[in-house]
Amino acid sequence: MAFSADELRVLRRALAIALHPAPLQDEDVQDCLRLAESVDEAVREAGRLRAFLLDDLARYREALPGSLAGYLGLLRDALTAGYDPGVDDLAALRALRANPAAAELLARCRILAERSVRARLARVSQATGSTAPAVPAGAAIAPRTRLLALPGGRAAAGEPKPNPPSGPAPDRPVPKPSEVFPPRRRPVPPPPPEERVAG
């Protein structure tokens, strides 16, 4: 954006008034308003030119590889104007990296894209107030394992809980071993053969 000599005079006067406030004459106010309108129009025109350039860049990118020379020239102009290369540009340049000019632009675009991503991440972390410690690259993150005791044990999982005794255990006699394990009866031997015949 270039200012004419009259616009520079008005700009210098406006800056002087901003630094040392003083009453303004109507003529000074009108000059400042005209300068502000000129700046706004220049910004709008720059936006229109940028949109036109990016549309052209997309058309040339879609016509690759036949439009290689035009695409590389437009991409250089867009990068000079502050354009952040997108995923489509990186993919196109990777497909064309056999061309030295495309390979050079690919290296430049990778650097710019990485800077853009880092700047966006920094803005997001500032907005969310994230203070997560940085993890060194390549460091293995071991999972943290903690065993927690759950109240209730197995009974909490649905198993029936035995009813506790309501009072003291009754006094019952302890059974004797012979009552629990009765003695075996000895087998009776069969009678002699003579008795069986006689019977």
Side-chain angles (χ1 to χ4, degrees):
M1 182 185 299
F3 291 104
S4 66
D6 286 340
E7 288 172 339
L8 285 174
R9 179 180 51 80
V10 173
L11 182 60
R12 188 166 64 179
R13 194 186 322 154
L15 290 174
I17 292 170
L19 292 173
H20 305 287
L24 289 176
Q25 297 179 1
D26 290 344
E27 183 183 352
D28 292 335
V29 172
Q30 293 302 321
D31 288 343
C32 288
L33 289 175
R34 278 193 293 272
L35 179 60
E37 289 174 5
S38 298
V39 170
D40 289 342
E41 180 56 33
V43 169
R44 286 193 292 270
E45 181 63 21
R48 286 192 290 269
L49 288 174
R50 179 184 173 85
F52 179 76
L53 174 61
L54 295 183
D55 286 344
D56 248 6
L57 182 64
R59 281 194 292 271
Y60 274 78
R61 186 173 56 233
E62 289 170 5
L64 287 171
S67 58
L68 175 62
Y71 171 70
L72 295 180
L74 284 172
L75 183 57
R76 282 195 198 93
D77 292 344
L79 295 176
T80 303
Y83 169 67
D84 283 334
V87 177
D88 294 338
D89 296 305
L90 293 172
L93 290 172
R94 274 195 295 269
L96 301 167
R97 61 176 172 259
N99 181 290
E104 179 187 350
L105 266 180
L106 176 60
R108 181 180 172 190
C109 285
R110 279 178 173 160
I111 294 171
L112 293 175
E114 184 178 348
R115 280 186 198 157
S116 177
V117 169
R118 287 182 186 225
R120 282 199 298 271
L121 289 175
R123 284 195 297 271
V124 169
S125 63
Q126 286 176 358
T128 58
S130 173
T131 56
V135 178
I141 302 174
R144 298 180 62 185
T145 307
R146 286 184 70 185
L147 298 177
L148 301 177
L150 299 176
R154 282 200 236 176
E159 290 189 8
K161 210 188 298 186
N163 293 326
S166 56
D171 294 333
R172 289 188 299 180
V174 179
K176 296 177 183 178
S178 60
E179 294 175 352
V180 178
F181 305 106
R184 288 185 181 179
R185 292 184 179 180
R186 293 183 183 176
V188 178
E194 297 84 10
E195 293 181 6
R196 278 187 294 182
V197 172

